[in-house]
Amino acid sequence: MAGSSESSGRPPLFATEKPARVAAHAYRLFASTIFAGLLLIWVYRATHLPPRSSGARWWGWLGLSAAELWFGFYWVLTLSVRWSPVYRRAFPDRLTRRYKEEQLPGVDIFVCTADPTLEPPMLVISTVLSVMAYDYPPEKLNIYLSDDAGSVTTLYALYEASEFAKHWIPFCKKYEVEPRSPAAYFVRADSPPDPCDPKEWYALKEMHKDLIDRVNSVVNSGKIPKTPECKVRAFTQWNEDTSYTDHPSIVQILIDGNKRKAADINGNALPTLVYMAREKRLQEHHHFKAGSLNALIRVSSVISNSPIIMNVDCDMYSNNSGSIRDALCFFLDEEQGQDIAFVQYPQNFENVAHDDIYGNPINTVNELDNPCLDGWGGMCYYGTGCFHRREALCGQIYSQDYKEDWTRVVRKTEEVDELERMARSLATCTYEHNTLWGIEKGVRYGCPLEDVITGLQIQCRGWKSVYYNPARKGFLGMAPTSLGQILVQHKRWTEGFLQISLSKYSPFLLGHKKIKLGLQMGYSVCGFWALNSFPTLYYVTIPSLFFLNGSSLFPEMTSPWFVPFAYIVVAAYSCSLVESLQCGDTAVEWLNAQRMWLFRRISSYLLAAIDTLRRMLGISETGFALTAKVTDSETLDRYKKGMMEFGSFSLMFVIIATVALLNLACMVFGVARVLLHEDAIGLGALILQAVLCVLVVAINFPVYEALFLRTDSGRLPASVGLVSFCIVLPLCILPANMQT
């Protein structure tokens, strides 16, 4: 094999680049000034502590001091991530020259779905079709769909996709179609683009429309046509007792790439396509997505056993047909690739509106934060859009003498019936009893963020990971389009990160002397998300209440101590805005992202911290909340108009509305108090509190709009406003005894 020969004199398959030194030094100089400002603020708090006899003001001062200490610590932690970024470039043309098609390794692709209602079958098979059509030798491609709901309609949709693929794949390769999700492709193209043959294009578009109609008809009726039932044996596995939570293991090889008769309309080979529904029983814990992935690892080991595994969520279709070859550049580089366990692509979304109200574009994360994690040798595993080395994912410890056999193929039999029988036995709900699956092998159990903890354990075994962000995005998914969905999603992530930080899998415990300190700190940036909720909530409520009462907690505008406070606020937010603009966001998107930053901290992060504490005390158990991938037309229309979607009663909405109403009341009555000169203290001593209060009010405009101005179904329910008002009223009355 070409990869086994001496690599001396060969050009590398990928390059690792660092930013210009001037830019790095400039950022470090800027960071130094921020740190100096933080030190001055801490000194001011320590040297200007009001007398204890001042009562509430003394306690308010202590609380702000603690919050500012935490913010400073967290900023230093965040700074560690930004210190040493690297950027990767792949050279797939060199890969093509170095390796013949038959020398390339096999690739197993896992697509996971769990609920046909929240993740409609047409959405799922569009993703499946996009990865089936990769620019890669089809006999080397094996696509597995895990249907955790055990839905007969999902199997039917996959069967229809297998038939449509015989036309779609040759069309994609003939005309070099991008993207290769038929749903995304036909939505973007109203007419045949060059050089497509119009007759062929329209015929295929009509064929795709018929596919949609057939699948949706079955989804709506629940009845499978007779033809698929005759061709696919797995349909006989369903009966009236089968449910999403109680069903046997089902494995069906719909296309066997090893069979010559499995060919497209031009007679060319097709990728292997496998449907799997692992066994579920009510009395057995199924470990959510982690359990599904581990079942896929075992099932694929007897059918294809490819050395490379890629997993993708069912709503993250392939947007770049060359992604496999790009990823292989990192694994197959003879000098630099031996210790690379996985290659992580960024998450990007196709349904994000211009000036997105929810701050969904995560360009600064993709362009700045992730390259810095990569610089420490350990990009996180996101759980989707990731290429893995099978050996590393299955618990292999890296050693200097490790050598990968890219040509291995272990298929115990050519008989499909026998393969399916063997695979079913590996997907039973009791198979993992008294084994290391979920502990040392495969994806880890016991945490909502099974992907992150799995990646961390792999890195602690001596492996490295790579973050690759090509110009053409590798994958595009669906971002949530309602505030509730986003906050629930972030709550789950935050709980998972906090659980990791407080467990034996903490990066500082598990990673001690195994990964770099900078990477440990990088993981902890997310690990301490939840702890940010308390100082943030304090900072957006207490100073405003003291402003209402005319009691100062910050230096006067004429004081030299005013400078560090003003500098840090202006410099930090100016830098954030510049970074966001450089990464491709608009100023409005940046502003929306700041609003969502506040909303997440005071709601998602706060409840995540509380629920984690309850779980540690044994009051509640870990659960998994699946994010809906469908949106009704009215919600989508409001989203495109930049209107936040509330619509239901939620504790998170109560918290957000309470903070918004509290600051509005404090601003109105606090300014009135100053203008009427009811207190000896002037606006100069309260200017920072006034500015903070006004900024919180300004950023909460969508909340006031949803409370008072809107009449549509996406507004905040009156019950939320009533509860919030009942909380705010006594808070505004209580500070009456505060003394300056």
Side-chain angles (χ1 to χ4, degrees):
M1 180 176 177
S4 62
S5 61
E6 290 295 325
S7 60
S8 178
R10 289 182 172 183
L13 296 179
F14 72 91
T16 302
E17 302 167 345
K18 294 186 176 182
R21 288 187 177 181
V22 174
H25 290 322
Y27 182 77
R28 291 174 183 179
L29 177 62
F30 166 77
S32 300
T33 66
I34 295 288
F35 187 64
L38 286 171
L39 291 176
L40 289 173
I41 289 176
W42 294 339
V43 170
Y44 170 76
R45 289 295 180 195
T47 57
H48 290 72
L49 187 67
R52 191 159 188 173
S53 60
S54 62
R57 185 167 180 259
W58 187 81
W59 288 106
W61 193 282
L62 280 185
L64 280 187
S65 301
E68 288 159 357
L69 276 172
W70 171 261
F71 289 146
F73 162 75
Y74 191 75
W75 177 82
V76 171
L77 197 66
T78 305
L79 179 67
S80 69
V81 184
R82 293 290 188 90
W83 209 249
S84 183
V86 297
Y87 299 91
R88 311 284 190 173
R89 280 199 301 147
F91 304 112
D93 53 332
R94 296 178 183 175
L95 179 79
T96 301
R97 291 195 296 269
R98 192 170 303 177
Y99 293 89
K100 297 178 180 178
E101 296 285 272
E102 62 269 18
Q103 294 175 315
L104 293 172
V107 178
D108 291 347
I109 299 178
F110 299 163
V111 181
C112 295
T113 184
D115 189 319
T117 302
L118 299 178
E119 298 166 339
M122 274 309 305
L123 175 76
V124 175
I125 66 171
S126 290
T127 296
V128 169
L129 287 165
S130 74
V131 296
M132 289 183 72
Y134 267 127
D135 178 21
Y136 202 70
E139 63 275 8
K140 301 278 187 176
L141 268 182
N142 310 279
I143 289 80
Y144 296 81
L145 175 65
S146 169
D147 175 20
D148 244 15
S151 169
V152 66
T153 56
T154 300
L155 174 58
Y156 171 76
L158 193 65
Y159 162 77
E160 289 287 1
S162 69
E163 295 297 312
F164 181 74
K166 298 174 182 178
H167 302 266
W168 175 246
I169 293 175
F171 175 80
C172 289
K173 295 185 176 181
K174 179 179 179 180
Y175 297 113
E176 299 182 347
V177 165
E178 295 286 4
R180 297 193 174 180
S181 158
Y185 174 75
F186 286 118
V187 163
R188 296 182 188 183
D190 294 329
S191 59
D194 291 334
C196 288
D197 175 73
K199 184 177 180 181
E200 189 176 355
W201 188 89
Y202 280 114
L204 195 62
K205 184 175 183 180
E206 187 63 26
M207 192 180 299
H208 181 249
K209 183 178 180 299
D210 291 342
L211 168 67
I212 296 174
D213 292 341
R214 287 196 302 274
V215 170
N216 288 340
S217 175
V218 168
V219 169
N220 293 332
S221 68
K223 296 180 179 179
I224 308 300
K226 291 184 178 180
T227 302
E229 286 185 340
C230 297
K231 293 184 177 181
V232 179
R233 296 182 303 277
F235 282 116
T236 62
Q237 297 292 313
W238 275 269
N239 55 51
E240 59 184 15
D241 297 324
T242 303
S243 69
Y244 293 175
T245 56
D246 195 341
H247 55 77
S249 58
I250 303 170
V251 177
Q252 176 71 57
I253 301 176
L254 292 167
I255 300 177
D256 185 0
N258 283 8
K259 298 284 186 178
R260 291 190 177 183
K261 64 179 181 180
D264 63 29
I265 57 171
N266 295 332
N268 298 316
L270 285 169
T272 294
L273 180 62
V274 181
Y275 172 89
M276 182 199 80
R278 61 189 172 118
E279 182 185 19
K280 278 189 176 181
R281 300 302 177 195
L282 296 176
Q283 68 275 16
E284 295 288 341
H285 197 331
H286 56 81
H287 301 292
F288 308 106
K289 182 180 174 181
S292 172
L293 287 172
N294 285 340
L296 283 170
I297 293 172
R298 296 192 298 272
V299 166
S300 64
S301 69
V302 299
I303 296 176
S304 51
N305 199 44
S306 298
I308 298 294
I309 290 174
M310 189 271 275
N311 79 286
V312 64
D313 287 346
C314 64
D315 66 323
M316 296 286 291
Y317 68 81
S318 168
N319 186 58
N320 185 342
S321 62
S323 293
I324 293 180
R325 295 178 187 269
D326 288 343
L328 289 181
C329 289
F330 298 97
F331 291 114
L332 297 182
D333 186 279
E334 297 87 347
E335 295 293 328
Q336 308 173 81
Q338 281 296 105
D339 60 351
I340 293 176
F342 60 88
V343 177
Q344 178 67 64
Y345 281 72
Q347 286 186 303
N348 292 281
F349 308 111
E350 70 159 350
N351 64 325
V352 174
H354 180 65
D355 291 340
D356 176 72
I357 189 68
Y358 301 117
N360 274 318
I362 50 176
N363 294 334
T364 52
V365 174
N366 289 342
E367 303 291 338
L368 293 178
D369 293 341
N370 289 344
C372 292
L373 274 178
D374 196 8
W376 290 113
M379 174 58 196
C380 291
Y381 168 37
Y382 275 168
T384 183
C386 189
F387 290 83
H388 290 270
R389 192 187 296 258
R390 181 183 285 266
E391 295 289 345
L393 191 57
C394 290
Q396 173 79 41
I397 298 175
Y398 176 74
S399 61
Q400 294 292 335
D401 58 353
Y402 172 82
K403 204 74 174 178
E404 180 71 73
D405 179 13
W406 297 113
T407 61
R408 73 174 188 274
V409 177
V410 180
R411 182 163 173 169
K412 296 180 173 60
T413 177
E414 293 298 314
E415 295 300 322
V416 171
D417 291 349
E418 181 64 14
L419 280 176
E420 291 175 346
R421 186 193 64 77
M422 294 168 60
R424 284 195 297 273
S425 68
L426 300 177
T428 61
C429 58
T430 57
Y431 180 87
E432 295 178 350
H433 288 184
N434 301 316
T435 71
L436 293 177
W437 282 99
I439 303 171
E440 296 294 333
K441 295 183 66 175
V443 183
R444 305 305 178 259
Y445 297 153
C447 177
L449 289 185
E450 68 286 325
D451 38 23
V452 174
I453 201 170
T454 298
L456 176 60
Q457 281 198 316
I458 289 172
Q459 291 155 357
C460 290
R461 289 196 172 102
W463 296 95
K464 292 180 180 178
S465 58
V466 162
Y467 172 69
Y468 184 55
N469 186 16
R472 182 176 181 87
K473 305 307 179 186
F475 303 90
L476 290 178
M478 302 291 290
T481 54
S482 77
L483 184 61
Q485 290 176 355
I486 292 172
L487 295 180
V488 168
Q489 187 179 64
H490 275 272
K491 178 179 178 290
R492 181 172 66 86
W493 293 342
T494 305
E495 282 186 68
F497 277 121
L498 185 58
Q499 285 182 38
I500 292 172
S501 298
L502 299 178
S503 71
K504 64 180 180 180
Y505 298 112
S506 163
F508 291 111
L509 295 177
L510 184 64
H512 182 59
K513 294 184 178 180
K514 297 176 182 176
I515 59 177
K516 295 179 180 178
L517 177 61
L519 182 56
Q520 295 174 27
M521 296 173 72
Y523 270 104
S524 298
V525 168
C526 300
F528 294 149
W529 273 354
L531 302 185
N532 279 315
S533 59
F534 301 106
T536 302
L537 188 61
Y538 191 93
Y539 226 87
V540 296
T541 54
I542 301 303
S544 298
L545 285 170
F546 276 78
F547 172 65
L548 170 65
N549 195 59
S551 183
S552 175
L553 293 175
F554 293 91
E556 293 190 26
M557 192 172 6
T558 55
S559 169
W561 293 106
F562 178 85
V563 176
F565 285 93
Y567 173 74
I568 283 186
V569 172
V570 173
Y573 279 97
S574 297
C575 179
S576 172
L577 175 59
V578 169
E579 288 178 343
S580 186
L581 294 175
Q582 287 178 337
C583 293
D585 293 338
T586 66
V588 174
E589 286 172 337
W590 173 81
L591 180 61
N592 291 338
Q594 305 312 303
R595 179 186 300 112
M596 290 303 302
W597 173 90
L598 175 62
F599 286 2
R600 290 196 301 268
R601 283 196 172 197
I602 64 176
S603 61
S604 299
Y605 294 4
L606 178 65
L607 295 183
I610 294 172
D611 282 358
T612 300
L613 177 61
R614 293 174 68 239
R615 191 168 293 109
M616 292 175 66
L617 296 174
I619 300 174
S620 64
E621 297 181 357
T622 300
F624 182 85
L626 190 66
T627 304
K629 307 302 190 300
V630 290
T631 305
D632 65 74
S633 58
E634 290 185 4
T635 299
L636 186 59
D637 186 55
R638 287 192 289 268
Y639 167 67
K640 291 179 179 178
K641 292 178 180 178
M643 300 170 67
M644 276 198 165
E645 186 72 19
F646 296 92
S648 60
F649 185 91
S650 164
L651 181 56
M652 293 189 190
F653 294 163
V654 170
I655 297 170
I656 292 170
T658 300
V659 170
L661 289 177
L662 176 65
N663 278 272
L664 181 63
C666 290
M667 183 188 73
V668 172
F669 294 110
V671 170
R673 180 188 294 272
V674 171
L675 293 178
L676 294 173
H677 304 289
E678 293 185 12
D679 293 294
I681 188 169
L683 185 60
L686 297 169
I687 187 65
L688 281 175
Q689 285 161 254
V691 169
L692 177 60
C693 189
V694 170
L695 288 176
V696 174
V697 168
I699 209 169
N700 275 288
F701 175 77
V703 179
Y704 305 130
E705 183 184 37
L707 275 172
F708 307 125
L709 303 178
R710 289 168 52 183
T711 58
D712 57 83
S713 60
R715 72 185 303 274
L716 269 169
S719 56
V720 171
L722 180 61
V723 173
S724 298
F725 179 79
C726 291
I727 297 172
V728 168
L729 184 60
L731 288 176
C732 290
I733 296 174
L734 284 176
N737 64 347
M738 292 180 183
Q739 299 296 320
T740 305

